[in-house]
Amino acid sequence: MASTAQDFLSHPRMQQRHIRIGESSFPYLFSSNCLDAIAETLHTLDADRFVVVTDDHVFGLHGQALLRALGTGTPVTILRHEPGEAMKTLPSLAEHIEHALGDGATRRSVVVSFGGGVPGNLAGLMASLLFRGVRLVHIPTTTVSAMDSVLSLKQAINSRVGKNHVGSYYTPTAVLTDVELFGTLSPRELRSGLCEMAKNCLAIKPEIISELQEILTTGNLAAPESLLWLLDASISAKGQVTKNDTYERKDGLVLEYGHTVGHAIELLDHRQRDADGLSHGESIALGMLIAARISCARGWLTEADVRIHDELVASLGVTTSIPEGVTADRIIDTIRDDNKRGYLPLPDDAAAFVLLEQLGVPARSGELPLVSVGFQEVQDALDAFDAAGREILSLAPADSVR
Ligand SMILES: NC(=O)c1ccc[n+]([C@@H]2O[C@H](COP(=O)([O-])OP(=O)(O)OC[C@H]3O[C@@H](n4cnc5c(N)ncnc54)[C@H](O)[C@@H]3O)[C@@H](O)[C@H]2O)c1
């Protein structure tokens, strides 16, 4: 049975947003302290089994609470793996699928992801493959998954050659979020998970930047009302560019803001420090600071706009220097292979970037929110950023500095 949108799903104790991505749509229900409401909503799907994909860490923290809420009426298969990116592999996927089938999963079963983006991606791909498609429900437990990965149809795992090389597009039946589950994230994880959200504000929805900045600097970030506001804002910002772009290859490309240099920094830092390297969100935040300086040098963004970038990133608690060993030469060499190659005709000494003409307004080549940027411009922006690093750090609120 193919997964179909269950737009009728709702719960009186949860806020509801309708997510539309191209032709697909699904409900996103969210609230605080609502595992019971999540379980009640899951039971309305009349599944013959819930196949829960999670990791050992999340299960240890919140697994029993979920099982208690689900009760004993419907059989539950728990598929657990070690936490972390290393589990997004074909062998883990195959093991999970065989385990679910061995337990008696059928076309009427519902695959439930319970965790961050890693269990989410594994569960998404698994749901799309089991019987050529069974229903998928996400219960995200990280800010990255709740505010970013579940708002995309992309479901992918890693190959031995590279990240997210094996995947599909698949629509969940619903996303059900209890922001109380984020309470066990460390302050650093909580903040760095918000980098992509901050990127979406700068590139898509600048009218909410001041409210975001206020929550990051003065409010209690972990308070349910802050998290619910952040969730709602993420849904509306990302939805604005994906609603007509299922595959994120047109307007959705603006989500790549900060990614050209950001990906290069992430890759180079992980090569030298493995898992101790900067997180994806932190790398993208640095990438935005470089992109902002390139735009400013072109006369598009103002100095004040660059300062808004700096303040936002500083208040996310992200390090404001590029890791030692990740040199400008290596960054430029790496962006030659950036995954946006092919969208634009480019000279040999340039790469495709998302650049902002104004906050919330990407520069375009034809219909695409991409422009060609010369490597010398990248070098100049890296130099300008290097010179400003210490000053940016001083903008960070005391509790966010590592
Ligand atoms: N599909 C997409 O468009 C998309 C978008 C963004 C990210 N992603 C993918 O998502 C993954 C990153 O997501 P992630 O950062 O959530 O990774 P993750 O699932 O590995 O979670 C990060 C860590 O947080 C822990 N954790 C999860 N929930 C917790 C909680 N409530 N309390 C305490 N610890 C908790 C996990 O055990 C893990 O150690 C990457 O694989 C990335 O490719 C996909």
Side-chain angles (χ1 to χ4, degrees):
M1 180 175 56
S3 170
T4 53
Q6 306 266 326
D7 295 339
F8 55 85
L9 270 187
S10 64
H11 194 285
R13 277 191 288 121
M14 297 177 83
Q15 296 181 51
Q16 174 163 8
R17 284 292 211 124
H18 182 79
I19 312 295
R20 189 157 74 78
I21 303 178
E23 302 288 291
S24 303
S25 65
F26 55 92
Y28 192 129
L29 275 53
F30 56 105
S31 188
S32 160
N33 208 357
C34 60
L35 266 186
D36 287 351
I38 287 178
E40 285 163 22
T41 309
L42 278 171
H43 282 300
T44 64
L45 296 176
D46 193 27
D48 64 358
R49 174 173 299 274
F50 295 123
V51 178
V52 177
V53 181
T54 185
D55 73 36
D56 293 337
H57 185 51
V58 174
F59 192 77
L61 291 168
H62 302 292
Q64 291 310 324
L66 178 70
L67 289 178
R68 252 194 320 277
L70 284 174
T72 52
T74 306
V76 179
T77 293
I78 300 287
L79 303 175
R80 298 165 55 162
H81 53 78
E82 280 174 33
E85 187 72 19
M87 299 315 290
K88 269 187 27 170
T89 60
L90 277 168
S92 308
L93 178 70
E95 203 180 303
H96 281 353
I97 287 176
E98 292 295 348
H99 187 154
L101 291 170
D103 269 13
T106 74
R107 291 164 202 277
R108 234 182 82 205
S109 302
V110 172
V111 174
V112 179
S113 78
F114 186 57
V118 168
N121 279 181
L122 265 174
L125 201 49
M126 177 175 170
S128 77
L129 292 171
L130 266 180
F131 303 105
R132 302 192 187 89
V134 299
R135 290 167 296 174
L136 165 71
V137 173
H138 288 297
I139 307 177
T141 65
T142 62
T143 43
V144 172
S145 54
M147 299 179 193
D148 194 29
S149 62
V150 301
L151 296 170
S152 160
L153 305 182
K154 292 191 276 186
Q155 320 289 345
I157 58 172
N158 306 327
S159 71
R160 278 203 290 266
V161 175
K163 190 170 153 66
N164 292 334
H165 277 189
V166 182
S168 63
Y169 291 86
Y170 199 64
T171 308
T173 295
V175 177
L176 308 172
T177 298
D178 181 350
V179 296
E180 203 74 21
L181 297 171
F182 306 155
T184 47
L185 292 167
S186 70
R188 183 192 165 199
E189 281 172 318
L190 194 62
R191 279 180 189 273
S192 73
L194 298 177
C195 292
E196 297 262 6
M197 193 271 167
K199 173 208 70 182
N200 294 344
C201 286
L202 290 162
I204 304 166
K205 225 172 160 53
E207 63 274 21
I208 59 175
I209 290 174
S210 54
E211 218 169 332
L212 171 62
Q213 187 66 289
E214 199 176 314
I215 287 181
L216 290 175
T217 49
T218 57
N220 176 3
L221 187 57
E225 55 278 15
S226 305
L227 291 168
L228 289 169
W229 183 88
L230 289 162
L231 200 54
D232 201 42
S234 310
I235 291 170
S236 68
K238 196 160 177 180
Q240 218 165 295
V241 294
T242 54
K243 65 175 185 254
N244 294 318
D245 187 6
T246 313
Y247 304 111
E248 298 172 30
R249 289 175 193 151
K250 290 180 280 181
D251 278 354
L253 279 170
V254 75
L255 298 168
E256 290 279 316
Y257 187 46
H259 280 57
T260 312
V261 168
H263 263 157
I265 294 174
E266 183 182 12
L267 191 84
L268 292 168
D269 199 24
H270 277 249
R271 273 193 201 145
Q272 58 185 22
R273 293 198 287 163
D274 293 322
D276 291 336
L278 292 180
S279 71
H280 177 72
E282 290 170 318
S283 308
I284 296 318
L286 290 177
M288 290 194 296
L289 301 188
I290 306 303
R293 283 168 170 78
I294 298 172
S295 292
C296 187
R298 287 186 173 201
W300 291 345
L301 290 183
T302 63
E303 296 281 350
D305 295 333
V306 174
R307 171 111 181 156
I308 288 173
H309 278 69
D310 291 349
E311 284 172 353
L312 207 48
V313 170
S315 55
L316 286 164
V318 171
T319 176
T320 47
S321 60
I322 294 176
E324 222 169 294
V326 179
T327 59
D329 283 352
R330 294 179 71 206
I331 291 174
I332 290 170
D333 211 34
T334 307
I335 63 179
R336 288 178 197 279
D337 294 326
D338 182 72
N339 63 3
K340 290 181 292 303
R341 258 201 130 66
Y343 281 108
L344 295 181
L346 293 169
D348 284 348
D349 61 347
F353 270 69
V354 176
L355 289 187
L356 301 182
E357 282 184 343
Q358 298 167 37
L359 295 179
V361 181
R364 289 183 184 268
S365 303
E367 289 198 329
L368 295 179
L370 289 178
V371 287
S372 167
V373 173
F375 294 155
Q376 187 58 50
E377 291 179 270
V378 180
Q379 174 76 56
D380 293 345
L382 285 164
D383 291 344
F385 174 71
D386 212 25
R390 198 171 291 281
E391 192 193 324
I392 302 171
L393 189 60
S394 70
L395 301 170
D399 75 324
S400 69
V401 181
R402 307 191 259 144

